[in-house]
Amino acid sequence: MIRFNNARGCFLGLLLILWLAVNAAVRTVLLVMAHGSLQDSFDWLTVTGIYFRGAVNDLFPYFLLTLPLMLVLLLKKRLWGGRTGRIVASATFWVYACAFLFGAVAEPLFWNEFSSRFNFIAVDYLIYTTEVMRNIAESYPVIPLLAAVAASAAIVSLLALRPFWKRAALPAPRSPRLLAVCFVMTCAAFLYSPLAPQDRVTRELSANGVWSLFSAYRNNELDYREFYRVIDDSRAAALLRENLTEEGTRFVSDDAGEWRREVRASRPEWKPNVIQIVVESLGSDLLGENTPNLNALAGQSLQLTRLMATGTRTVRGIEALTLSLPPTPGSSIVRRPGCEGLFSVGTVFREKGYDTAFIYGGYGYFDNMNAFFAGNGFRIVDRSDIPRENVTFTNAWGVCDEDLFHAALRDADESFRQKRPFYQFVLTTSNHRPFTYPDGKVSIPSGTGRRGAVAYTDYAIGEFLREAASRPWFADTVFVISGDHTSSAAGHTDLPPERYHIPALIYCPGRIAPAEVDTLCSQADIPPTLFDLFGWSYRSGFFGRSALRMKPDEGRAWISTYQILGRLTPDSLTTLAPVEQSGVFGWTFPDRVGSALKGEQAEVLTQRTEADYQSAHDLFKNGRLKENAVLR
């Protein structure tokens, strides 16, 4: 009979085999789920490469996960002694098996939602446990899943350890070779850089989920100057001024580093109330048979038909819509230290005498939203301010959209009573997993998926506008409806532009004529577009421009993930990535990215992109985006 003379090494080896097997199984499931995105490059060589790189990528995170166990095995002289020792060892194996199998269940669920391995979104989920745990509990059969994981881990542990206990030498001696191997591999794990192909989908499939989570936590905020290509400051300033130059504006000074402008009105001043409805995960692709109210509204509104979201998170949408800035890498400014006292859309409204409010159906501490809005002069109306008698339905993210809109109506009524014009930033939640909403409102049952959630949000918006039409302030109120981001920004490339296309409707019957503006533009352009419509003159620290003043060939938009930064023009996509990487590609709205561009044109496009992102980073970091710095 074969005897395991080094039981310590064998115990770790069994865990390693289980780890590799579980990750291979996960990779297989994800490969099936991602097959549609791999159709253009799917072949056996690609699949073999995915599994080979994946096995290598799985190896080093294993040593990090088992480091505490290694220390015990290396330091303790006697192991497995007696019944108690074997129970402790078996329980340890079972706990690791549970963790491995739990990850195997969680990763496909996360991929189904975000088409990605664990990333910075998963990091946020670990931070905001209250909402996330409720969301998970309402979205999935948690208890049966956990029970299945525990039972499966017990079966795996029994099958793996039964022959081990029969053959392991007792007591298990410490091995210098095991000590050396563990030391070397642990050091290597901390220096490890994953093997990663260029294609986004195959890169994600080859990745290890645990390492991806660790990496996202470590890189959640990136210093632009440390990770991206930097151009000369004077060149960046000159290009930024070129990018911001437009008819009807002049720079505050001739200083080469001056980006602030005096915006001159092109029409008589008008001071309407403004209700800006930002719909969770509303991409242009979701408009259709389930959105009859928005479809009808589009024909009565000024539409920005080629508007692009700046990012893939709600906080990115908030950042663009309030600060009118490109998305700097890492976390949104909404969640960073120093996010208070900034020049924002609220600054301009308050200078005109407006009451400004952030209205949200959930608890606004999530994603630091309350701190951001309050720190920038907004009143906060969130879940804690909505009386219980006015709540008809809640889920993990807050009250349903109807209850949210009723809160907005009450707040508008009060502002009107006080004879103050008002600006509301209203953020919805119903179009978010678990996709639950009140029964009987739409034909699609609650909790069955995004189609139903979108239909319900459309229903709630329709009811809201019908109720608003009965208010005395309605005729002098502009309604702005847009998405914060799309429901999925994942694609075959790192920045698929078609996955950032969101709707934007500006509605005020009798005052704003229905029209379509087909110029390529950004979420960050909505504030200056509104102020242009209102005939307002003001000092601007925005990077955004009025879509009504841009010529078609001047159109541009910023799109991003938390690491990859992009700038679109009508015929190109320029990308910046760590470490000092860049690329320029052909692009035609709204199709996929084409072939790479080279030469002088590509260099100019790259430098313009760098000027936008580098300048936004530097201005924020140096405090020059503060309200008092812009206005002085």
Side-chain angles (χ1 to χ4, degrees), residues 234-502:
S234 60
R235 175 64 173 162
L239 287 173
L240 178 63
R241 285 171 67 94
E242 286 185 26
N243 293 342
L244 294 177
T245 298
E246 63 180 344
E247 184 179 353
T249 66
R250 67 176 181 84
F251 290 100
V252 172
S253 74
D254 293 329
D255 186 331
E258 184 61 75
W259 88 105
R260 298 173 299 168
R261 286 105 58 220
E262 296 288 352
V263 179
R264 302 294 178 85
S266 59
R267 64 194 77 200
E269 186 175 74
W270 172 39
K271 294 173 64 175
N273 306 305
V274 180
I275 298 179
Q276 182 160 14
I277 300 173
V278 183
V279 182
E280 169 67 39
S281 302
L282 184 66
S284 294
D285 60 314
L286 294 179
L287 299 183
E289 62 178 346
N290 295 317
T291 58
N293 290 299
L294 288 174
N295 296 344
L297 194 64
Q300 305 169 52
S301 303
L302 177 67
Q303 296 184 66
L304 305 180
T305 61
R306 296 190 177 186
L307 184 84
M308 312 299 280
T310 60
T312 61
R313 299 294 313 282
T314 297
V315 285
R316 280 298 185 201
I318 292 173
E319 177 186 75
L321 292 167
T322 57
L323 304 180
S324 188
L325 291 174
T328 51
S331 297
S332 165
I333 287 174
V334 173
R335 299 185 53 202
R336 293 188 196 175
C339 69
E340 69 286 339
L342 300 173
F343 180 82
S344 71
V345 63
T347 303
V348 181
F349 274 113
R350 285 189 297 275
E351 281 197 317
K352 298 292 184 179
Y354 279 65
D355 173 51
T356 57
F358 168 58
I359 303 178
Y360 179 55
Y363 293 103
Y365 65 80
F366 185 83
D367 265 345
N368 203 50
M369 291 187 293
N370 277 359
F372 171 78
F373 278 101
N376 288 287
F378 286 74
R379 285 188 302 105
I380 305 298
V381 180
D382 73 353
R383 173 69 179 86
S384 58
D385 300 301
I386 301 175
R388 182 174 299 179
E389 62 269 21
N390 293 326
V391 175
T392 63
F393 183 91
T394 65
N395 64 16
W397 298 105
V399 302
C400 65
D401 286 352
E402 286 176 279
D403 293 344
L404 169 68
F405 290 138
H406 287 147
L409 288 169
R410 290 191 297 272
D411 197 80
D413 290 341
E414 179 60 23
S415 293
F416 181 76
R417 188 185 67 79
Q418 295 179 9
K419 299 181 179 180
R420 290 192 64 186
F422 56 84
Y423 167 67
Q424 296 180 347
F425 190 106
V426 183
L427 179 61
T428 75
T429 59
S430 289
N431 185 26
H432 193 296
R433 190 175 295 278
F435 307 126
T436 54
Y437 41 85
D439 292 329
K441 304 295 183 177
V442 295
S443 60
I444 303 172
S446 171
T448 57
R450 191 176 299 280
R451 287 177 61 252
V454 170
Y456 171 70
T457 293
D458 177 81
Y459 166 84
I461 289 173
E463 291 298 302
F464 168 68
L465 290 175
R466 278 186 279 276
E467 290 190 46
S470 67
R471 299 306 208 264
W473 43 260
F474 175 80
D476 200 35
T477 299
V478 173
F479 299 87
V480 185
I481 303 174
S482 69
D484 56 354
H485 56 85
T486 63
S487 59
S488 174
H492 197 63
T493 58
D494 285 306
L495 286 179
E498 68 275 12
R499 302 291 179 89
Y500 288 80
H501 186 207
I502 59 174

Side-chain angles (χ1 to χ4, degrees), residues 523-535:
Q523 252 176 332
D525 296 320
I526 289 181
T529 301
L530 288 177
F531 299 150
D532 190 13
L533 278 170
F534 301 161

Side-chain angles (χ1 to χ4, degrees), residues 21-36 38 50-51 103-112 117 205:
V22 167
N23 278 284
V26 169
R27 203 160 277 117
T28 301
V29 173
L30 299 184
L31 184 62
V32 172
M33 295 175 70
H35 181 260
L38 282 170
I50 288 172
Y51 280 98
V105 172
E107 286 213 62
L109 296 178
F110 191 86
W111 183 283
N112 184 58
R117 291 284 192 154
L205 291 170

